[in-house]
Amino acid sequence: EIIKTNGIVSMPATESSQGYTAVKKKAVFSINPQQRSNIRITNNPIIPSAFIKNINSVVDSENMEKLSLTTINKWLLKQGYLAESKVATVVNKNVKTVTPLSAQIGVIEQTVVDQKTGEAKTQLLFSRQAQEFLLDNIESIIA
C-alpha cells in the first residue's frame, strides 16, 4: 500500500471494516466573536505560551488547528513590536527581544534564572494591555 500511494497510508475505519478512511485534515485556526469574549485575560503579566493556551482553550481544537506561538511571534516581529537577536548560550539561539514599540502595547521583558542551567535569561511577558491588543488584532495575526 505504501508503494502504491507514494507513502500515504490511511488508517482502517474500524477493526471489523475492510475499508479504509482518510485521516481528516483539521481546519485552519479561526475564532468567532463569542469565543473571543470567552478568552481569559489576566491582570498580571503572563508568558506568551500561557496566553496562547488561554486562546486555544475556547476553540474546537479537535477539528481545527491550534493557534501557535510562532504565528503570534511572526506577526509581532513583522509589525516591529519584537526584534530577534542571536544570544550566546550553551547553544547559540535566536531570542525575541523588546523594541521601543513593545512598551506601547504592553510587552515587557523580565530577567529570570533558568532552573536547570542556573543561567540568567530574559523572558517576555504579555501585560493585560498586550493581551487585549493581540485579541483586538487576532484577525490580522491569523490572516
Side-chain angles (χ1 to χ4, degrees):
E1 184 178 349
I2 292 172
I3 294 170
K4 284 190 239 175
T5 62
N6 291 325
I8 300 172
V9 179
S10 58
M11 302 301 292
T14 63
E15 286 187 26
S16 61
S17 171
Q18 293 289 338
Y20 288 89
T21 183
V23 176
K24 183 179 174 187
K25 184 176 179 184
K26 292 185 175 187
V28 175
F29 177 86
S30 65
I31 190 165
N32 64 42
Q34 182 178 355
Q35 291 169 323
R36 209 167 106 186
S37 68
N38 290 332
I39 294 172
R40 190 172 71 99
I41 295 176
T42 64
N43 287 324
N44 295 328
I46 59 173
I47 59 175
S49 59
F51 176 66
I52 297 298
K53 187 176 181 179
N54 289 345
I55 293 173
N56 287 325
S57 71
V58 301
V59 297
D60 179 14
S61 57
E62 282 189 33
N63 297 312
M64 182 174 40
E65 294 175 356
K66 292 181 178 182
L67 180 63
S68 72
L69 183 54
T70 302
T71 301
I72 297 274
N73 282 341
K74 283 182 180 179
W75 186 83
L76 288 168
L77 285 164
K78 186 177 177 184
Q79 302 302 317
Y81 295 113
L82 291 181
E84 195 167 50
S85 61
K86 202 174 262 308
V87 174
T89 57
V90 177
V91 178
N92 286 339
K93 62 180 182 177
N94 290 332
V95 296
K96 311 299 182 279
T97 57
V98 294
T99 67
L101 290 176
S102 301
Q104 293 177 12
I105 65 165
V107 176
I108 47 182
E109 202 170 50
Q110 169 183 347
T111 302
V112 294
V113 177
D114 187 311
Q115 296 290 335
K116 294 178 185 173
T117 64
E119 72 180 324
K121 61 182 184 178
T122 58
Q123 177 181 55
L124 294 178
L125 297 171
F126 291 161
S127 68
R128 180 179 186 87
Q129 177 189 356
Q131 295 169 63
E132 290 171 347
F133 175 81
L134 291 168
L135 288 177
D136 289 344
N137 289 282
I138 196 76
E139 285 82 16
S140 175
I141 293 168
I142 61 178

